[in-house]
Amino acid sequence: QSALTQPRSVSGSPGQSVTISCTGTSSDVGTYNYVSWFQQHPGKAPKLMIYDVTKRPSGVPDRFSGSKSGNTASLTISGLQAEDEADYYCSSYAGSYILVFGGGTKLTVL
Amino acid sequence: QVQLVQSGAEVKKPGASVKVSCKASGYTFTGYYFHWMRQAPGQGLEWMGWINPNSGGTYYPQQFQGRVTLTTDTSIGTAYMELSRLTYDDTAVYFCARDVSLWFGELDYWGPGTLVTVSS
């Protein structure tokens, strides 16, 4: 099972919006609505930001939103803030009990 | 409150095995699957498999089959990950995480990570 494809890096200025893509295949992202997004600050454990493609856990700001089209899922962060600077990872259920992660995207807030 | 507390850093020689623990508290231990992931220095997350604490059932991706063993001790609410035949490439931070959606990957709580260094 191959890793999901994410851009290595994205950047944006405070207050702007950025979108991070996560491209899989018809065997994972394209078939299942079990896409999650995680935020990871340096030296910390990942934190769940989005699950089931579009749902936000309690406590996650509504500036974070998720979507999916075909084999590509996306995480959009609006109203960028300095504390949003982190690495972001997507994951997807891929059938047959398998979970697959993306390679990660470094978000820089300029 | 839900907490996952992992064991401390380990240094192992090539060919040895390592066992990392993940003690859960604040919820019913047998109610949720555990996943294990690792992250090599400067790299992304790599999924290592899951365990159902209620039944002991496990699943390992092909690249870890035969080398990883996931277990739980329900009496003390602790999950374990044992990795054998260590190589330098196994140097990484190892994470446990709780899945609230069976095995579908809604990982809502993570342990802080355990650094395993393989060095001669």
Side-chain angles (χ1 to χ4, degrees), chain A residues 1 32 34 36 38 40 43-48 51-52 87 89 91-93 96-104, chain B residues 35 37 39 42-47 50 59 61 63 95 99-101 103-113:
Chain A
Q1 192 70 32
Y32 300 101
Y34 293 113
S36 296
F38 302 91
Q40 186 180 34
K44 300 295 186 181
K47 175 187 176 183
L48 180 66
Y51 67 98
D52 292 355
D87 293 327
Y89 293 91
S91 72
S92 175
Y93 180 64
S96 301
Y97 307 114
I98 294 170
L99 191 63
V100 62
F101 280 87
Chain B
H35 293 251
M37 281 68 55
Q39 188 170 37
Q43 302 300 310
L45 296 167
E46 183 177 24
W47 179 65
W50 55 251
Y59 183 87
Q63 64 266 35
F95 295 101
D99 193 336
V100 294
S101 64
W103 55 81
F104 293 111
E106 184 186 332
L107 307 180
D108 67 339
Y109 282 94
W110 292 60

Side-chain angles (χ1 to χ4, degrees), chain B residues 35-105:
Chain B
H35 293 251
W36 287 84
M37 281 68 55
R38 72 178 183 179
Q39 188 170 37
Q43 302 300 310
L45 296 167
E46 183 177 24
W47 179 65
M48 300 179 70
W50 55 251
I51 183 166
N52 177 355
N54 193 45
S55 67
T58 55
Y59 183 87
Y60 309 115
Q62 187 173 10
Q63 64 266 35
F64 289 107
Q65 286 177 9
R67 221 161 59 90
V68 169
T69 304
L70 302 182
T71 56
T72 58
D73 185 338
T74 57
S75 68
I76 57 172
T78 301
Y80 301 92
M81 185 285 301
E82 184 169 20
L83 184 62
S84 62
R85 302 193 304 277
L86 292 169
T87 71
Y88 298 116
D89 290 342
D90 293 317
T91 293
V93 176
Y94 289 75
F95 295 101
C96 62
R98 183 182 84 158
D99 193 336
V100 294
S101 64
L102 296 177
W103 55 81
F104 293 111

